Amino acid sequence: MTMKQGVAKERADEKLVMDAGDIARALTRIAHEILEHNKGVENLALVGIRTGGVHLAHRLVKRIQSIEGVHVPIGELDITLYRDDLALRKNQPVLRKTSVPFDLTDKVVVLVDDVLFTGRTIRAAMDGLMDLGRPGEIQLAVLVDRGHRQLPIKATYIGKNLPTSREEKVQVLLEEEGEDDRVVIAKP
Amino acid sequence: MTAYGKGDSSSVKPILIKGGQVIDPGRFVGIGDVLIDQGKIAAVGANLPAPAGCPTIQAMGSLVLPGFVDLHVHFREPGFEYKETIQSGSAAAVAGGFTTVCCMPNTNPINDNQAVTEFILERARVAGLANVLPVGAITKGSEGKELAEIGDLRRSGCVAISDDGRPVMNSLVMRRAMEYARAFDLTVVDHCEDLHLAEGGCMNEGLISTELGLPGIPAAAEDVMVARNLSLSELTGARLHLAHISTAGSVRMVREAKARGIRVTAEACPHHFTLTEEVVRGYNTHAKMNPPLRTWDDVHAIKEGLRDGTIDVIATDHAPHATQEKQQDFTEAPFGIVGLETALALTLGLVEEGVLSLEQAVTKLTSAPAVAFGLKKGTLAVGADADVAIVDQHTQWEVDPSKFRSKSRNTPFAGWKIKGQVKTTIVGGRVVFEAGSSER
Amino acid sequence: MSLKRKDLLSLAPLSVDEIKLVLDTADSFKEVTGREIKKVPALRGKTVVNLFFEPSTRTRTSFELAAKRLSADVINFSPSSSSVVKGETLLDTARNIEAMQADIIVLRHSSAGAAETLARGVKSSVINAGDGWHEHPTQALLDLYTIRERGLGFEGLRVAIVGDVSHSRVARSNIYALTKLGAEVRLVGPPTMMPWGVERLGVKVYSNMDEGLCGVNVIMMLRLQLERQGRALFPTIREYARLYGLTAERVKLADSGAIVMHPGPINRGVEIAPDVADSLSSVILDQVANGVAVRMGILYLMSGAG
């Protein structure tokens, strides 16, 4: 099923929250905010958290490139080994590769993820980053902040604030994964 | 010399066993009664008149058989009483229907002298259950070098000689033993295993030993010694009995030797006609014995050998070991399994399979072993010792090692549902076992 | 997808998917071992016990490093091999370890089946680090990883395993794994050192090494245990080295890109010539490096809640 940019048909089992156009505009704004907050690209690096954050990080890097003409270093972080629930799981989750091919020391690292929820993923991501080097500063960019934090973690850059109930499932679906760009709340 | 329990036979009351299916192969086969008096068989026939007040055992629906004769058990006393004693072994024997058992000399000290023989006989007398007849050693200490005092052993009560547990490796020594034994008309029993070929092995050498990474004992280790023993028997004219044969090669050679008139008898154990080396998978130490479990081809050959008479005798090679000994890893665990309390059912399994007729099966457990060692046992002839087994052929039961009368529990048949149970065992005219009693 | 097993005792029952999972997981850990800080908290708070009844510095150190890099607590037990009754020691020691809440026990023992016996008796996960002649699963897995790392696919791969196969747990584990993955496995060695019926495991047997190596992609040399001389298995080391030693000339008989492997420790000049051991086609040191990553992967996959 093909769709024109900005025109999304709502499916029976989903509630549409952001369509492709909303996502694009949010990412553009975040890119500008990152550059404004850090006064340019000096010492800047982006690290996407697998899997959703990685695609979004790549899109942000492209936008920054078209604004400032500079390709900012980008890494991909798998936080599985740093999860706080490994001891409790019967079957260990599948590992994916971490690839951060540059020195983190003294850099301003912007972690990128699709949905910020309890904050545990970000906590794990920070531990993972620390094991890879000593960043000068860590900031956080998320497409959707849906509340219900269980740890004292705050995003620096937010695409959309989305009030939800705990039981709802928020999904960010992206072209890179073969879906039409959209953010939905899946109906139970 | 027989040991038949406390008190002498003349004070034993008569017993009438009524209405059972009596099978005394070659003498009486059919529904009938057996009258026992003064410890001997007084009469066998249909509708026997009974003396007044004679206790009667109702045997309708049961088999009435001569008590079984096991030519090959290990009772571990003296020296290894924690595994089994003559008392507990005898209790296991009568629970399995065995009224006469021949115990091997690999005790500690080895039974290579009169003192140990007399000790065994005395312990058996005190136990007062089965007839326990010692087998004396062939060589001093069973070391295979010098002959034991075979004449003395015979005089004290040994009924055969063997170094079982080990073979006699030196062929010259074996030749001399066979010649010497002829003076006493003693059967020479050999455990056929070439120790060099078997070196370090703990299971049959084959595909499974290759997969499990365990050192194997090739069938050739047995075949080589069977061939040697048959040649020596031919040379010396001795009475040769081959213990626990397990390979197709052994069966073939014994068949051929018998056809040429060589004086050889052979025994096979129930596990060698029931199980194959597959049972070793998972490193199951209850499947570890010597000779080891072999292949389907060997099992078929053993069954065929039983069917056509090549193999005369079924014996158990009852080899008790303590639980912690069998809990060791496979290469360390000792060889052997118990067998007195499962042998009957496994033998009846051959009848159900059609390998043996009921009469043939009974023969293999009674008269044939007696003939092999020249014993006056295994028969219900008038005047014979009153050793009788009353058997329920058809009831199915589950093997529960915790209920064994033996001190040891090392059996691969735990949990098996098999048919054939002993109801009553009589030795020398006294009831020494009744099913359902908890006495050990 | 996960390794739904309490223990890793043998490669024979593992599926192709399970083997691939282990190799893929090892990739992530290879990356970790390349970092400055070679530690991740994945097994934090878990206890790994190395129970080595047979001495082995190499394998034990590899497991120890793997566990420590996963932030686990490691205990090394090396009961004296001259203790009174080996079997009692295994059983009793196992119960003591269980009482210490060991999550994973890595066992090396001289008796085949010891790992299985231990696994039946304890709730902890048991990893077989070598049981007699039976199997050495983690060695074969790191061998597979090393082959894969070199860009060699398994389907149709020609692998020659050379030496004393009868007494080799490394050979058995590799035979099971490689045949499962579709490789063509050849065994090369004197007939006295080939176990009974081994062809039925799906391999080809050669007693002529030149024939056996012709066109192979992987040459896996086994260590000749010099103590075995004098037991009628081979006449002298001199003759063995001449007939079955891997020389540079023999390596040329193999495929041009062939790699040379050895589980170590090597007998230089006996089963492998020094110049071959140090050559570019030798991946022996890679095997050692990969050993830690693969063992980290296995510990990770087996560390799920009980």
Side-chain angles (χ1 to χ4, degrees), chain B residues 273-293:
Chain B
F273 57 71
T274 311
L275 302 172
T276 67
E277 56 184 357
E278 284 289 337
V279 186
V280 176
R281 280 193 194 283
Y283 300 94
N284 177 13
T285 56
H286 288 140
K288 179 176 180 180
M289 71 287 287
N290 196 2
L293 298 173

Side-chain angles (χ1 to χ4, degrees), chain B residues 210-211 282-283 328-329 331, chain C residues 85 109 111 120 134 172 176 196:
Chain B
T210 291
E211 282 181 27
Y283 300 94
Q328 296 177 85
D329 45 58
T331 43
Chain C
V85 182
H109 198 284
S111 289
R120 275 199 288 259
H134 178 224
R172 275 180 183 78
Y176 296 134
W196 195 100

